[in-house]
Amino acid sequence: EDFLNRVTDSIDDHLSRPNFTVDDLAAEVGLSPRQLQRKLKRLTDTTPAAFIRQYRLDVAAQLLESEAGTVSEIAYEVGFGTPETFATRFKERFGCSPSAYPEPASASPSD
């Protein structure tokens, strides 16, 4: 959908800014914060703040998969204020720490 593309493009443009707020996003896409809230909730069943956080984490996962930097570098690159907060949120979303991501598909114990 065009609207979601505008939202994700806006987040991409400000990805490394930890202080990029829902109000900033709403202004970028030409809606009031309340209108943004309603529209995103209807389309994605999530709040704008959660959508921004999930998008940042999804980008971080892609960067980790491609080994684009250390966990700390990636945390700052995707707009988290501290690596600790990033690690906590990452584990909530993906079930493992960023340093353990991606987990090998066929992890077998060594003999």
Side-chain angles (χ1 to χ4, degrees):
E1 163 136 357
D2 182 50
F3 171 72
L4 288 177
N5 286 336
R6 286 192 348 235
V7 169
T8 56
D9 287 348
S10 179
I11 297 169
D12 268 337
D13 291 345
H14 303 282
L15 193 62
S16 64
R17 282 186 45 210
N19 59 348
F20 184 68
T21 66
V22 171
D23 289 346
D24 296 331
L25 178 58
E28 287 269 325
V29 297
L31 298 173
S32 73
R34 183 68 185 135
Q35 288 171 317
L36 176 65
Q37 166 94 18
R38 282 190 213 119
K39 198 162 189 171
L40 267 181
K41 187 73 170 169
R42 184 169 26 91
L43 293 172
T44 65
D45 199 34
T46 189
T47 65
F51 187 86
I52 292 169
R53 183 174 54 250
Q54 289 171 2
Y55 186 81
R56 290 178 191 267
L57 290 168
D58 290 345
V59 170
Q62 292 171 1
L63 293 170
L64 288 166
E65 284 176 11
S66 65
E67 300 177 356
T70 66
V71 170
S72 293
E73 290 167 344
I74 289 171
Y76 293 122
E77 188 174 336
V78 298
F80 280 86
T82 67
E84 293 79 16
T85 301
F86 169 68
T88 300
R89 295 297 189 173
F90 192 93
K91 188 167 186 174
E92 287 171 2
R93 177 137 173 91
F94 296 106
C96 66
S97 69
S99 58
Y101 188 88
E103 295 181 329
S106 60
S108 59
S110 299
D111 289 75

